[in-house]
Amino acid sequence: MSLPRTSDVLVVGGGIIGLVTAWRAAQRGLATALVDPEPGGGAAQVAAGMLAAVTELHYGEQTLLGLNLASARRYPDFAAELTELTGHDLGYRRCGTLAVALDADDRAHLRELHALQRASGLESEWLSGRECRRLEPMLAPGVRGGLRVDGDHQIDPRRLAGALVAACERAGVVFHRAWAERLTVERERAAGCVLRDGTVLGAGQVVLAAGSLSGQLAGVPDDVLPPVRPVKGQVLRLTVPKRYAPFLSRTVRAVVRGSQVYLVPRLSGELVIGATTEELGWDTTVTAGGVYELLRDAHELVPGITELPLTETRAGLRPGSPDNAPLLGPTDLDGLLLATGHYRNGVLLTPVTGDAMAHALTTGELPEVARPFTPRRFRAAVLTEQPA
Ligand code: GLY
């Protein structure tokens, strides 16, 4: 084994969550290293990049809504800072979202969502089918109504990942382009990692931010191992030729026969169609059935997609957690922190995660906005506590 190389912070995982954590930590003056064979890869290479705090609201996720909104509010400054620092265009588009219904069941579902949004104090306007088509003329004539949400935007996650790698490099983050093999624990404290190539890295604090792989790192004691699982999403990319532009002017989404489908139009001409939600373990196969269902549902919403070149099909793994919310901050093992389990909201939650993790790394505590997301909420003792 080579001699330990020591940093204040060692981040395991170089997806957007690991990168933003490393960047913000380095900005706070912490000597920071990051381990990943391919920094900037991971689920962000597949994700559509919707910043959809309002249109992705679900019953039972009101606490998560607070964190989602806090992150959405940070996005304009976050994107401007990253672009100014790196010169990267992030494809951040404040275009709004239209959630539409195709039949009576969809419309009932959307009415429920609208009621929940309003009860949560969110801005969302009910539109008739005709009003939806006036906004987006490519929509199918059968659209029965919709919700206009001008506050749900989008960013290009691939560009975001590239910019975060550049920002980390500028901030002096040291990249180790290798797999982490095992967490090192010394005197009941996380002390670093051993890499697959045998390199030993020492660190004052270790952040486990390996997305759906976060529960797989050897050496992490069972009682602090994050309960994350991979949730497969298949996503398609089409290209809108210039002669058809503007094909759609905002994100259009719907729940069709119980499955969500969304179309995210970029200024570059890329049109992202997503996504399946499949509990299939580590499988990232793109299947004929997955592609068929996405195209079938998207075609019902926007029939004109059949004219567009299909340029990419891909599957990624969302890091799902037991309550669909992230695990952030210190664990019961001293020196080990988590930043994982972001499930459907990793891109949206990137700014607030960076801030919360930097705060936790420098003070030992989560800021108020992130406290409900402590990994300690999954401690066995907490889970078995009975109400009096
Ligand atoms: N947030 C979109 C998805 O997870 O498919």
Side-chain angles (χ1 to χ4, degrees):
M1 282 193 192
S2 47
L3 283 176
R5 275 179 273 168
T6 304
S7 55
D8 296 325
V9 175
L10 177 62
V11 179
V12 179
I16 52 175
I17 295 300
L19 288 166
V20 78
T21 300
W23 176 41
R24 290 307 197 196
Q27 280 184 321
R28 301 262 186 129
L30 297 169
T32 303
L34 182 146
V35 185
D36 193 298
E38 199 187 328
Q45 292 299 316
V46 182
M50 290 179 299
L51 308 174
V54 179
T55 43
E56 284 212 10
L57 179 61
H58 289 80
Y59 279 107
E61 294 186 4
Q62 277 87 343
T63 310
L64 176 59
L65 172 67
L67 193 69
N68 286 345
L69 291 173
S71 207
R73 279 194 293 275
R74 283 166 163 81
Y75 243 102
D77 288 348
F78 172 80
E81 183 185 355
L82 253 185
T83 296
E84 195 178 330
L85 202 70
T86 64
H88 288 223
D89 172 2
L90 307 179
Y92 177 47
R93 194 173 174 200
R94 302 177 77 170
C95 56
T97 295
L98 185 63
V100 300
L102 283 168
D103 62 23
D105 283 350
D106 301 344
R107 194 163 60 174
H109 168 87
L110 219 51
R111 286 277 189 205
E112 285 290 317
L113 175 62
H114 193 214
L116 180 62
Q117 290 167 337
R118 289 165 62 111
S120 307
L122 303 171
E123 280 185 32
S124 169
E125 183 190 358
W126 183 264
L127 301 183
S128 67
R130 184 173 300 182
E131 287 168 325
C132 291
R133 281 189 300 281
R134 204 174 297 141
L135 278 184
E136 296 297 340
M138 296 304 287
L139 280 175
V143 165
R144 308 274 291 261
L147 291 175
R148 176 178 177 166
V149 177
D150 287 343
D152 275 1
H153 303 308
Q154 60 151 304
I155 195 165
D156 184 335
R158 293 176 175 175
R159 291 174 180 233
L160 173 62
L164 285 169
V165 170
C168 282
E169 282 166 349
R170 277 169 175 263
V173 174
V174 176
F175 285 101
H176 297 277
R177 288 180 163 77
W179 286 102
E181 177 84 25
R182 156 174 295 275
L183 181 77
T184 316
V185 179
E186 282 172 5
R187 289 186 288 280
E188 297 186 24
R189 189 183 164 87
C193 265
V194 181
L195 308 190
R196 207 169 276 181
D197 63 10
T199 305
V200 180
L201 300 174
Q205 300 183 83
V206 178
V207 180
L208 184 46
S212 55
L213 288 165
S214 300
Q216 302 291 305
L217 186 65
V220 179
D222 283 349
D223 55 340
V224 291
L225 201 62
V228 290
R229 66 185 197 286
V231 183
K232 178 178 173 181
Q234 301 191 47
V235 173
L236 317 176
R237 283 175 163 80
L238 286 65
T239 303
V240 179
K242 281 204 169 61
R243 65 181 183 282
Y244 292 147
F247 188 77
L248 294 173
S249 64
R250 73 202 68 220
T251 297
V252 170
R253 56 184 304 150
V255 175
V256 183
R257 289 179 287 272
S259 302
Q260 64 161 348
V261 61
Y262 43 80
L263 296 90
V264 182
R266 305 224 196 280
L267 287 176
S268 64
E270 183 175 82
L271 178 68
V272 186
I273 299 181
T276 63
T277 301
E278 301 167 77
E279 300 276 357
L280 289 175
W282 301 102
D283 175 21
T284 52
T285 316
V286 175
T287 62
V291 174
Y292 165 72
E293 280 168 28
L294 288 172
L295 285 177
R296 179 195 63 196
D297 295 349
H299 174 258
E300 281 190 36
L301 284 185
V302 181
I305 60 161
T306 50
E307 303 297 320
L308 307 180
L310 173 62
T311 39
E312 192 183 317
T313 59
R314 200 153 165 185
L317 299 173
R318 305 174 183 89
S321 77
D323 60 5
N324 299 337
L327 292 86
L328 302 174
T331 65
D332 286 337
L333 178 65
D334 280 349
L336 179 68
L337 295 84
L338 301 182
T340 188
H342 291 68
Y343 191 36
R344 294 186 310 263
N345 296 304
V347 181
L348 171 61
L349 289 174
T350 297
V352 77
T353 297
D355 292 347
M357 293 306 295
H359 187 98
L361 286 163
T362 47
T363 67
E365 288 183 1
L366 283 168
E368 186 147 351
V369 67
R371 272 187 210 147
F373 306 98
T374 168
R376 292 173 175 141
R377 70 190 188 277
F378 296 121
R379 271 198 293 226
V382 174
L383 291 174
T384 52
E385 249 169 38
Q386 298 296 323

